[in-house]
Amino acid sequence: MKSMLIEQSVFLREFALLSLLSLFSLFIGCNNAPTAPKVGTSTDGATMQKIAESDSSITSFDQNYNEGQAMSFMGKLTAQISPIRVGQIVRVVNKSFTYNVVGDTSYATFTRTFEGVLYIVAASNYSGNDTVISKPFTSTIALNLIFTRVGKSNNPTFNWKLAAVSLPEGGTLSSNVAIQNVTVFLPTGDTLSVNSPLDYYIARGGGWRRQLPEIKGNNKVTVQVTLNSAYSDTDFVTITHGGDFSGLRREKVKLDLVSSTPSVNGYIKVYEGTYLTHKWHGYHQAIINAFPKQVIYDDSSPVEISTWGIPYFIK
């Protein structure tokens, strides 16, 4: 284990390295409105997957889940080991799309497997040398979709429309840390509370369950995260948000521990933080990542992560 101390000078030598690493990150384009496939597809399943991969409320996940480099963050750290920047570079290595048509409605699940590297930039209180720790990991992110039939053409491209999308959920195989609830306090006074992301659908058109949250630019959004952790130490919980279609304008906020209560399976912990939306219009997503403390503070601990996403629109 390495002992580390926060020093502003740590950024200078590592920034060039991390910037080069970010060139290899995978970014998926994000449009400002849902779009139909641009090329014809031969089956219903291929059509629906193409629609899903073109929808901005879905693709906005990638620009914030793939952080591109180790990022500085807002939030206090009080420990002997103090990371300066933490971030992950990920790429999709596998996709699975399954669906079930019932009448004129199709219920689908879209699952993607990511391979990534978690980068931690820190400094040593003893040697004064900067340190970059890299940890490979594999994570799986899933979401559910509902399509409605809009035609009966011989070309399936024209037959389906995306009606609703669930929130994304996933992480590594470890169950030692797991998000249980996310409550979002919107600037309008409305509250969004999620216990099961895959069952929480947001409409992509009028009249189907919940609508995508719309937030004005330069507004504060408060997020409260409840998680079940097997560890007594304070976990490392962050929100990454604001990334556009090219991955620019991403920001990261560390959440503070509000309470910790012993439970049968460990500890029920509540974390809270606030982030500021930027002024750029379009579809965005706030990605919540929860790591056990040792993942960030111990260079030998493997990556454990629980991830949820909350899409929103800046109007």
Side-chain angles (χ1 to χ4, degrees):
M1 182 182 294
K2 297 180 174 65
S3 297
M4 308 171 192
L5 178 69
I6 294 180
E7 296 179 1
Q8 293 297 327
S9 62
V10 72
F11 299 134
L12 300 178
R13 290 196 294 272
E14 304 304 341
F15 180 77
L17 170 62
L18 295 171
S19 297
L20 289 173
L21 289 171
S22 68
L23 295 176
F24 296 98
S25 60
L26 175 65
F27 297 109
I28 298 178
C30 175
N31 300 316
N32 282 337
T35 57
K38 295 182 179 180
V39 296
T41 53
S42 58
T43 67
D44 287 336
T47 292
M48 287 183 276
Q49 181 172 345
K50 188 72 175 180
I51 293 173
E53 291 179 337
S54 301
D55 187 82
S56 299
S57 68
I58 297 174
T59 61
S60 60
F61 177 89
D62 296 68
Q63 285 80 52
N64 296 283
Y65 189 56
N66 184 9
E67 295 174 337
Q69 64 182 36
M71 299 179 64
S72 57
F73 46 84
M74 298 175 60
K76 297 179 181 179
L77 292 173
T78 55
Q80 185 178 14
I81 301 173
S82 298
I84 304 296
R85 291 187 173 191
V86 177
Q88 60 200 36
I89 295 177
V90 299
R91 65 187 184 96
V92 178
V93 294
N94 188 55
K95 299 178 185 179
S96 172
F97 189 90
T98 60
Y99 67 99
N100 180 35
V101 177
V102 180
D104 288 334
T105 304
S106 177
Y107 303 90
T109 298
F110 187 29
T111 303
R112 294 183 294 169
T113 300
F114 293 83
E115 285 186 353
V117 178
L118 178 68
Y119 290 98
I120 304 165
V121 178
S124 172
N125 186 30
Y126 300 103
S127 67
N129 296 325
D130 302 342
T131 302
V132 178
I133 300 168
S134 60
K135 298 184 176 185
F137 69 95
T138 300
S139 64
T140 301
I141 303 293
L143 57 86
N144 290 331
L145 309 100
I146 299 175
F147 296 85
T148 55
R149 187 182 294 276
V150 293
K152 294 186 178 180
S153 167
N154 291 330
N155 184 349
T157 299
F158 304 108
N159 292 342
W160 296 99
K161 177 182 178 180
L162 183 59
V165 180
S166 80
L167 304 187
E169 176 186 18
T172 57
L173 293 177
S174 169
S175 60
N176 289 320
V177 59
I179 300 173
Q180 301 293 310
N181 172 271
V182 171
T183 301
V184 181
F185 301 93
L186 298 170
T188 59
D190 295 330
T191 300
L192 183 157
S193 183
V194 182
N195 294 314
S196 176
L198 297 180
D199 296 316
Y200 193 101
Y201 286 90
I202 292 177
R204 300 305 291 119
W208 194 295
R209 304 194 183 187
R210 307 168 183 88
Q211 297 291 330
L212 187 74
E214 293 189 354
I215 307 171
K216 292 182 179 179
N218 296 318
N219 269 245
K220 291 183 178 180
V221 179
T222 298
V223 179
Q224 191 175 84
V225 177
T226 301
L227 59 85
N228 189 352
S229 175
Y231 310 104
S232 59
D233 286 334
T234 301
D235 307 285
F236 190 82
V237 184
T238 63
I239 295 176
T240 305
H241 67 97
D244 61 14
F245 69 93
S246 62
L248 299 176
R249 305 188 181 96
R250 275 189 306 265
E251 295 182 352
K252 193 167 188 171
V253 176
K254 179 181 174 292
L255 277 61
D256 296 320
L257 178 65
V258 175
S259 66
S260 178
T261 306
S263 68
V264 176
N265 298 319
Y267 299 84
I268 301 297
K269 303 177 186 179
V270 178
Y271 293 83
E272 188 172 293
T274 299
Y275 71 91
L276 184 68
T277 62
H278 57 53
K279 63 182 180 180
W280 308 100
H281 298 285
Y283 290 88
H284 300 277
Q285 196 150 165
I287 307 301
I288 301 163
N289 289 317
F291 301 89
K293 179 181 178 180
Q294 67 269 18
V295 172
I296 306 301
Y297 290 83
D298 185 344
D299 61 352
S300 63
S301 293
V303 175
E304 300 176 68
I305 181 174
S306 180
T307 299
W308 288 15
I310 307 292
Y312 60 94
F313 184 84
I314 294 183
K315 59 184 179 178

